[in-house]
Amino acid sequence: MRRTFACALLALSPTLLIADAAPHVSYGPRPAYLIDKLPEGPLKSTLQACAAQTPAASTFSIGHRGAPLLFPEHTVESHVAAARMGAGILECDVTFTKDLELICRHAQNDLHTTTDILTSDLAATCVTPFSPATGDTPATAECRTSELTLAEFRTLTPKMDSADDTAATPEEYQGGVAGYRTTLYADHARTMTHAESIALFKSLGAKFTPELKSPAVDMPFNGFTQADYAQKLIDEYKAAGIPPSDVWPQSFDLQDILYWIENEPEFGKQAVFLDASYRAGGFDHTDPATFPLDFAELHANGVNHLAPPIWMLLTIEDGRIVPSPYATEAKAAGLNLITWTLERSGPLASGGDWYFQSVADLTKDDSMYYQMLDVLAQDVGVKGVFSDWPATVTYYANCMGL
C-alpha cells in the first residue's frame, strides 16, 4: 500500500525528509483570523465566501525560506510547513562552504544568528569571535559558511534567526527571538544542502526559486569564480532532471541574471532580478526621474522577471492603496513582477515596518495584509508573492482563482 505523507514522516534519513506524495494542504486558523479583522466591504465578503473551499497549492504563493514566521528558516521542517500551507514554489537561498558545496542559508555570514555555532566546538572558526555587550556597545559576532566544510556545517543545529545584543555570554546571545515568533518548532530542525532542497521540494510537489546569495568573501574563492558559482547552481537542477520551466533562479546581482540568460537560456528566461533600487541615493518609487533602472533596457536584454519589495509597488492616493509609478512603468516595459515579503513584519497595529513604509499611514491592524495583497494581485498584477507564512497568500490565491 502506498504510504501517506504523514506516514512518510516516520521514515527520515539523517539529513533529509523525502515524502511519498505532495502533502495535504491546510490553511490553519490564521487566514480566517486576518479576514475577521477586515473592514466590512467587498473584499471581506469575497474572502469569507471562500471559507468552505478545498485548499490547494498555488504557484502564486511562494515560501520565503520556508515558513520562518514560526519555523527556523531554510530547514527541512520550515519548507515542509510551507508546502503544507500550499506554497507552490519554495525558496533555497544558496551560498557555499569552504569546500565549495552549495547549501541553503540566507547569507554566507549568518551562522551566528541562525545556528548554535557560538556554543559549539566550531566557535573558533568564526571570523569575528563573540564579544559581549559592554555599556552602549552591543554584543557582536560573525560566523561564515565559507570557514566550514560541508561535514562541519552538518554538525550545526539551526535555530530561529535571532541574537540578544545585550548578551554577556554566547549562550545568552542565542536569545532575542522577536516576540511575534516562537521557538516551539525549532527542536531537532535540520539544515539542507541545495541538492537536498531540490529533492525535498520535488517530493513535496513544489517548484523552485533558488537565490544566488552575494558572497561574504572575495571572489574567486579557492579558485571558485562568480561564474562557477552561478553555473553550479543551475547544474544541480540539471543533474536532478528538473525542467527549466519549474525553476526561477534569483539574484540581486544583474550580472548573475545576464550570465544565466547567455549561458543557460532556458533557465535564464525565468531568472528573477531582485531589485535593490531602494539603496540608490535619492530613489523615490513614485518619481520615475529617480529610478536607477531602465526597465525597457532590462527587458530588451532578456530579463523577464523583476522582484522589488512590496512597498515599492504601492502608494497612497485619495486615502486608497494604488499601484506606484514604479509598478506602472515596470509593467509597461513588459516585465513580470514578483514581490517580497508578506507576513515578515509581525503585528501591524503600530503601522508595520520596512515592508509597509509606503502605506504606513493606512496600516492600523493585521487586516492590512489582505488589503495590500488584494491591490498587488488585482491592480499591480504581480505573478507571485513571497511570504513568511504562506497560508495567508494561498487562501487568497485559491479564493481568487490565481
Side-chain angles (χ1 to χ4, degrees), residues 94-98 100-101 103 105-112 142-147 213-219 221 224 229:
V94 179
T95 188
F96 56 85
T97 60
K98 186 176 183 178
L100 308 182
E101 296 295 333
I103 59 174
R105 195 89 336 235
H106 180 247
Q108 193 167 55
N109 60 343
D110 73 0
L111 294 179
H112 51 291
E142 183 185 351
C143 308
R144 298 177 178 174
T145 64
S146 52
E147 298 297 313
K213 301 303 295 188
S214 298
V217 294
D218 292 334
M219 301 291 277
F221 176 78
F224 193 53
Y229 183 27

Side-chain angles (χ1 to χ4, degrees), residues 315-322 348 351 356-365 367-368 371:
T315 191
I316 296 173
E317 286 184 4
D318 300 323
R320 295 175 55 249
I321 304 174
V322 298
L348 302 180
F356 284 74
Q357 60 186 280
S358 62
V359 295
D361 289 348
L362 299 182
T363 304
K364 307 302 180 187
D365 59 43
S367 71
M368 181 56 75
Q371 295 177 68

Side-chain angles (χ1 to χ4, degrees), residues 200-219:
L200 177 63
F201 298 175
K202 181 180 179 180
S203 77
L204 294 170
K207 299 183 189 297
F208 314 83
T209 187
E211 181 187 337
L212 196 72
K213 301 303 295 188
S214 298
V217 294
D218 292 334
M219 301 291 277

